[in-house]
Amino acid sequence: SFDDGRPVTDLSSGALPGSELVAEVMPEVGQLLRRHLPDSGYHPAGLPELRQALAAGFTGRGLPTGPDEIVITAGSQQAVWLIATALTGPGTRTLVEDPSYRGALEAFAGAGGRVQGVRFTPTGTDLGLLDGAAAAAGAAGLLYAQTALHNPTGVHTPAPHRRELAAIAARHGLLVVDDQSQADLAWHRSEPLPGLDRLADPARLLTVGTLSKLFWGGIRVGWVRGPREIVGRLVEVRRAVDLGSPVADQLAALLLLPRAAAQRAERRAFLLRQYADTEQVLREVLPGWRWWPPAGGSGLWIDTGEDAVALSGRALEHGLRLTPGPAFSPHHSHRGHVRLPVWHPHSTLLDVARTLATLTDPREA
Ligand SMILES: Cc1ncc(COP(=O)(O)O)c(C=O)c1O
């Protein structure tokens, strides 16, 4: 990409390149489309067969689900936006992990309610702080969490901690949004990483998912699973936005879902190779950088040991776009951190690390 006419190496996004499988299913999508052309093509809640397939998936994982408890969205970003828009606003309080996913922070801030960060640790949300914040928020509160695999840190919250978090939410009557967008990108297991599915009260739980991480961000298919009544409210908001997702994308999703296990294996092998490479480059070129070893995902949450906002500013002057920590915080904290994607080719990574090494400020270290 270009910035002021100069080439920029963009390290600001963790989005992975698309899977070959997306192109492979397209001829069959063309065939299946024929059956849909006699209809209007508008499905605000999602294509019935895709809702059915996703509901069957949840049921198979131990959370009995009907198609009317699923709404298909344009990626999980729209899923979170619909939740923020339909369920929060002036007078509500949304608790988020700090740091958290940028797009969610923007959606909740945009809805106009109060957004409060709760410290996130290498084993999950600080439960003592969560308990206090939940008590203050009360039953009008909402908790947005990523217990399966957390963006940007790559932390998987272990089962006892997830159970306790669910108990705190239940005690205070919080509505819980469990964003499992990253759950398919586990590095050390073949199944998706588990979230709050069978731990939280299903009547107060919204589970968010997407095909973006596994297959491609260009397939704009995500979803929310939740109680019928809340799903109905999300569908009403969705209707006013764009009347529904493209039928072709949803048919592609239907064909891709059965190939999820194979694609997870491919992503896992790729990301593990990339991580080994990234680790080696960083240890050699930027030995002062520290990070929590991730359970998965496509990036590292790095403590640079200096002002990473200033570093990112200098980096941009040298053609590198990085996202510093405050972008991931409702309170603009984490000034020392950057999120570094691990999927770039070795040569890019080495160039980036070497450039950054010349820009680090030894006075701040
Ligand atoms: C936690 C989380 N939620 C939602 C999204 C949005 O993804 P998409 O809209 O492509 O499904 C992302 C993408 O980075 C994410 O990490």
Side-chain angles (χ1 to χ4, degrees), residues 13-15 73-80 100-104 144-146 149-152 179-182 208-213 216-223 298 339:
S13 164
T73 56
S76 52
Q77 176 61 32
Q78 190 186 48
V80 175
S100 185
Y101 165 57
R102 263 198 296 177
Y144 170 82
Q146 298 176 69
L149 188 57
H150 180 261
N151 175 1
D179 187 339
Q180 301 188 354
S181 292
Q182 302 270 341
V208 170
T210 182
L211 289 187
S212 289
K213 309 298 149 189
W216 193 32
I219 291 270
R220 300 307 297 148
V221 174
W223 55 86
S298 60
R339 201 267 311 273

Side-chain angles (χ1 to χ4, degrees), residues 101-349:
Y101 165 57
R102 263 198 296 177
L105 298 179
E106 286 164 4
F108 286 113
R114 176 162 167 204
V115 182
Q116 183 180 345
V118 180
R119 192 163 67 94
F120 193 74
T121 78
T123 54
T125 307
D126 184 313
L127 295 175
L129 293 177
L130 178 65
D131 196 38
L142 183 146
L143 169 65
Y144 170 82
Q146 298 176 69
T147 60
L149 188 57
H150 180 261
N151 175 1
T153 63
V155 165
H156 165 63
T157 303
H161 200 104
R162 293 203 308 281
R163 201 168 292 123
E164 186 54 30
L165 180 145
I168 290 169
R171 194 153 65 237
H172 299 290
L174 292 179
L175 183 64
V176 181
V177 180
D178 192 28
D179 187 339
Q180 301 188 354
S181 292
Q182 302 270 341
D184 283 309
L185 299 183
W187 289 359
H188 307 292
R189 49 176 280 159
S190 54
E191 294 300 302
L193 286 160
L196 297 172
D197 285 13
R198 278 172 297 154
L199 302 176
D201 172 8
R204 302 291 291 159
L205 177 66
L206 298 173
T207 307
V208 170
T210 182
L211 289 187
S212 289
K213 309 298 149 189
L214 202 48
F215 293 104
W216 193 32
I219 291 270
R220 300 307 297 148
V221 174
W223 55 86
V224 182
R225 184 240 181 253
R228 225 166 260 116
E229 184 269 328
I230 296 180
V231 163
R233 287 166 66 189
L234 300 180
V235 172
E236 284 318 304
V237 177
R238 206 281 157 85
R239 200 190 292 279
V241 177
D242 59 1
L243 298 174
S245 289
V247 173
D249 285 31
Q250 296 183 79
L251 288 171
L254 199 58
L255 296 173
L256 289 168
L257 277 176
R259 304 167 92 156
Q263 179 60 16
R264 276 197 302 272
E266 186 158 331
R267 285 290 200 223
R268 190 167 69 246
F270 172 71
L271 288 167
L272 279 174
R273 270 198 314 276
Q274 289 292 124
Y275 176 58
D277 196 28
T278 306
E279 187 177 30
Q280 196 199 343
V281 168
L282 293 183
R283 295 259 183 259
E284 219 172 281
V285 184
L286 289 159
W289 281 18
R290 302 271 177 271
W291 59 88
W292 302 339
S298 60
L300 301 179
W301 177 243
I302 294 175
D303 182 354
T304 64
E306 64 178 292
D307 182 342
V309 177
L311 176 66
S312 301
R314 293 194 293 275
L316 191 55
E317 288 167 15
H318 288 75
L320 296 183
R321 182 175 287 118
L322 287 172
T323 313
F328 300 90
S329 169
H331 311 302
H332 309 290
S333 341
H334 312 294
R335 273 191 84 89
H337 282 78
V338 289
R339 201 267 311 273
L340 189 77
V342 298
W343 62 267
H344 289 277
H346 180 84
S347 56
T348 307
L349 189 64

